[in-house]
Amino acid sequence: MNSDINQSNKLEFIKKELQERKTNNNLRQLNAIYPKDAVTVIKNGKRLINFSSNDYLGLSKHPQMITASQDYLNRYGTGSTASRLVSGTYDIHEKLEEKIAKLCGKEAALLFNTGFQANTTIIPTLVNQKSLVLCDRLVHNSILQGIFLSQAQWKRYKHNDLSHLETLLKKAILQGYNRILIVTETVFSMEGDRSDVDRLIQLSQQYNTLLYLDDAHALGIMGNKGMGLTAYQSGIDISLGTFGKAMGSFGAFITTSKGMRDYLINCCPGFIYTTALPPAVIGSIDAAFDMIPNLDKERDYLLQQVSYLQNNLINLGYQVLNSSSPIIPVIIGNEEKTLKLSNFLENNGILATAIRPPTVPKNTARIRLVLSSQHQPEHIDYLINLLKQYHEF
C-alpha cells in the first residue's frame, strides 16, 4: 500500500520550519533566568539589569504580595481543584470579582486564567460566521486567534486610524451582518502607543456595534488610580485586564455588564471548561488591588523616566516609536542587526530582548525596552551610555 505518510518523512515539516526560521534569524529558544529583584536577574551566572519585563511597578517581588499569597495558600490550599461551575468557585474568587468591578466602576467582573485564553475564547462566544469583526492592524496575536476561531468575517483598519475604521463601519452597516464587533488594545504591546478610547466608544455607539478593549498594558499605570484607560467608561461591552504585568501576578479578568457576565458563564468554553485560578494567585491579586490605587508617585516617576529615555534615544539617532507608555520600541529593522544589539547589551549587563517577525511586521525587528518604577536613574543612564557606544561603532 503506497502512502505519502511514512516514518521517515512525517516530521519533515518540523525540520523545514525550524531551518527556515534559523536562516532568517527568527529562531526562538528558551533562556532561563533567576529574578533577584524587580529589575535584576541572573542569566548564565551573570547579573543583568532587566529592561524586558512587564513588571511596570515591581510588584512581583513586593512583600505585601508575597505575604498575601502565602496567607491564601495556607488557608485554602494549593489548588482550586475544579472549574468554576463545578466546585472551583471559592468565596475568594467572588470577593475578588466584586472588588475589581467596584474599583473599575463597572457592574461586574469575571476572572480568566490568562489574557490569551480570554481573548481566544471570548471573541468566538460573541460573534459567528454571520458577524463582522473590525480590529486594529497591530492587535495582539491572541485577538487574531480569537477572530480566526470565531469564523467571523474580519477586516483590519490602519493602525490607530479611526477615520479608516469609520469608513469600514459605514460600509458594514449596509451588508446585513447579525452583529459587528470592534476589538483593539488600549496600549499596544509592541508599539507602546495608545488608542483613542473616547472616539472608539463614540463610534461603537453611533454604529451600534459591540466594543471589546484589551486594557492589559494600561492597567496599573494609567487611568484614575491606575485602574486602566477603560475604568469608569460607559459604552464598552467588555474590557480585558491582566494580572501578569503591572499587577505583578498571573491571570486575567474582564469588566462588563451583569448580563454579559451571565452569558459568558453559560456560553464561553474557556471559562466553563478550565480549572479556576489557585488560591495563592488570588491572594497576590487581591493585595495588588489594595496597593495599585495608592501608587500615583510611582506612576509619575515611571512616566518621567520614559520621557527621559525616549528623548535621549532620539538624540542619539535611534528610531524610536511614538510611545506613551513604559514600552519603548527601538526599531532596528534587520533581524540579524537586532540580535547583535541585544547580544551587545547582554554582554554588558543589560537584558533587552530582540523582538522579531512574526511577532512584529517584517522589517521592523526591534529592541523592546520596558521601564519599571523600580529602575533607578543610574540604571537608565547606564543603558543610554551603552546604546551611545554601540551607535558610534
Side-chain angles (χ1 to χ4, degrees), residues 59 61-69 283-284 286-288 290-291:
L59 293 186
K61 291 287 186 178
H62 197 286
Q64 190 170 330
M65 296 269 288
I66 295 170
T67 298
S69 182
S284 64
D286 188 64
D290 285 340
M291 289 187 286

Side-chain angles (χ1 to χ4, degrees), residues 28 110 169 195 236 251 309 329 350 388:
R28 291 159 169 76
L110 190 63
L169 284 167
S195 292
I236 302 170
L309 178 56
I350 297 286
K388 181 180 180 181

Side-chain angles (χ1 to χ4, degrees), residues 190-207:
M190 288 296 143
E191 284 68 39
D193 54 353
R194 307 184 193 184
S195 292
D196 184 341
V197 173
D198 290 340
R199 177 68 172 146
L200 284 165
I201 293 171
Q202 185 267 318
L203 287 172
S204 175
Q205 292 177 332
Q206 180 179 348
Y207 293 94

Side-chain angles (χ1 to χ4, degrees), residues 150-169:
S150 75
Q151 299 184 29
Q153 296 184 53
W154 65 293
K155 295 180 181 179
R156 291 192 277 192
Y157 58 90
K158 297 173 186 177
H159 179 52
N160 269 342
D161 187 342
L162 300 190
S163 294
H164 185 215
L165 171 61
E166 184 166 21
T167 297
L168 295 176
L169 284 167

